[in-house]
Amino acid sequence: MVDVSIAGLFLGLMRLVLFGLSLGLTVISFQAYRKNGSERLQYAFVGFAFISMGVAVTNLNTQLLVAGGVEASGNFLWFQIAETVPFSVGFAMIYLSLYR
């Protein structure tokens, strides 16, 4: 069986990798927008920025849930809404960039 502390460290590392990848996509899409200046690339950049924000909020919320016991306090639903909104806006913007 895997030690819980090792699994926790691995999960934390994977969350950092996910956040780094999302920031990398945001930077690449911003550079493409700056180079070409098209409206489609602008929507893609904003979409990736919101998705990166969603990843960051999800990671932060997970830390708050573990450390602060937010789930027991009744505010868990608000934290889940705060996670979902950036993802929704981000994917909507990427959808617009592809289909406009």
Side-chain angles (χ1 to χ4, degrees):
M1 184 177 254
V2 177
D3 188 28
V4 176
S5 62
I6 294 172
L9 287 174
F10 181 71
L11 180 60
L13 177 66
M14 293 308 296
R15 286 184 180 147
L16 285 175
V17 168
L18 176 64
F19 185 61
L21 289 171
S22 66
L23 282 180
L25 279 173
T26 303
V27 168
I28 290 169
S29 65
F30 179 70
Q31 290 172 345
Y33 166 65
R34 292 283 307 251
K35 183 177 180 181
N36 296 332
S38 73
E39 186 178 1
R40 295 179 112 191
L41 289 174
Q42 180 182 13
Y43 284 124
F45 160 63
V46 172
F48 284 124
F50 271 93
I51 289 172
S52 295
M53 194 182 328
V55 170
V57 170
T58 300
N59 288 338
L60 181 63
N61 283 350
T62 303
Q63 294 300 318
L64 289 174
L65 289 174
V66 170
V70 173
E71 188 170 1
S73 72
N75 292 323
F76 184 62
L77 180 64
W78 295 108
F79 281 91
Q80 287 184 321
I81 291 170
E83 289 178 8
T84 305
V85 170
F87 283 118
S88 300
V89 172
F91 283 116
M93 296 303 286
I94 291 174
Y95 179 83
L96 285 174
S97 76
L98 294 172
Y99 291 105
R100 266 203 161 194

